[in-house]
DNA sequence: GCAATACATAAGTGTGTGCTTATGTATTGC
DNA sequence: GCAATACATAAGCACACACTTATGTATTGC
């Protein structure tokens, strides 16, 4: 079940940090490690988990493997969230502010 | 960190099932167990995790404790998701619906 | 071909997680 | 008060998870 893979992948703070980095642009595995205090195998394993959850996708470029955000996983979360839109109105004001802030 | 609690809470399929049940209306712990093949303590523990993540909130009513979806947790996920809006266009169809729902 | 670089995989280890059984606490109705 | 009901907490256990070190695989430049 993809939903399970997604939430399990995001349950780890290190993986969320990796994902956040990739949200600023594609990077290879080594570049991702910069300033992260994480071993090379650990990074490789985390990226594998993110890939399996379709949160990240890879593309080999010669000796390097570039990673980037896969919209597929995000869309799945959005879809999951949409199921509970009945409960959003109670917080819609905060969300609208948040979305407006994101726009700037 | 609340974000961590939220994703960890949702990383378990049983807890997502409980959450889904509560999305259809408030229920007490016993009613939640119906048709779920889960022990009473297990249910209690799952509910505690969901409460700590602000995905669910409780309200004692005499001998019963009613549980219901807490919009707070959902709003947090929506906020997290909003950070990656740049990657949504690739899936614009599903997401336009989502944003429109948010606006209402 | 061969050394160097970039990354993946294997195997082992400590810790966290979800379950169980047993027991504790709170509220109700008599 | 006391039995019954509804739920929470404690303790223990099997398993999953995130890490480590060691090794394997792929690509580059000479």
């Amino acid at each position: 079940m993809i939903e399970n893979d997604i939430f399990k992948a995001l349950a780890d703070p290190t993986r969320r940090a990796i994902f956040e980095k990739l949200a600023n642009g594609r990077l290879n595995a080594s570049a991702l490690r910069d300033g992260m205090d994480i071993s090379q195998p650990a990074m490789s394993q985390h990226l594998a988990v993110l890939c399996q959850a379709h949160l990240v996708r890879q593309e080999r470029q010669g000796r390097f493997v570039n990673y980037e955000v896969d919209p597929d996983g995000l869309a799945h979360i959005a879809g999951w969230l949409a199921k509970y839109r009945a409960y959003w109105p109670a917080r819609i004001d905060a969300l609208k502010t948040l979305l407006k802030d994101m726009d700037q």
Side-chain angles (χ1 to χ4, degrees), chain A:
Chain A
M1 204 216 306
I2 182 73
E3 229 164 59
N4 205 54
D5 290 335
I6 290 176
F7 284 119
K8 280 204 170 194
L10 293 174
D12 183 74
T14 305
R15 278 195 291 267
R16 287 200 306 279
I18 292 169
F19 185 80
E20 203 130 344
K21 270 195 150 188
L22 288 175
N24 293 323
R26 61 157 53 187
L27 286 171
N28 59 57
S30 300
L32 268 171
R33 281 185 63 203
D34 287 352
M36 279 211 72
D37 191 35
I38 191 178
S39 72
Q40 179 269 314
M43 174 60 79
S44 186
Q45 287 160 18
H46 280 309
L47 286 168
V49 172
L50 288 166
C51 278
Q52 196 179 335
H54 293 94
L55 284 162
V56 158
R57 59 188 172 197
Q58 52 183 315
E59 187 189 7
R60 192 163 255 276
Q61 207 115 32
R63 193 159 33 169
F64 298 82
V65 178
N66 286 321
Y67 291 89
E68 63 182 356
V69 169
D70 185 348
D72 211 34
L74 288 173
H76 261 91
I77 304 177
W80 182 89
L81 201 59
K83 290 192 294 185
Y84 310 107
R85 65 180 184 279
Y87 294 96
W88 292 0
R91 280 280 175 161
I92 200 77
D93 48 344
L95 271 168
K96 270 202 284 203
T97 312
L98 205 134
L99 281 170
K100 206 157 61 181
D101 288 344
M102 296 282 153
D103 263 344
Q104 292 161 7

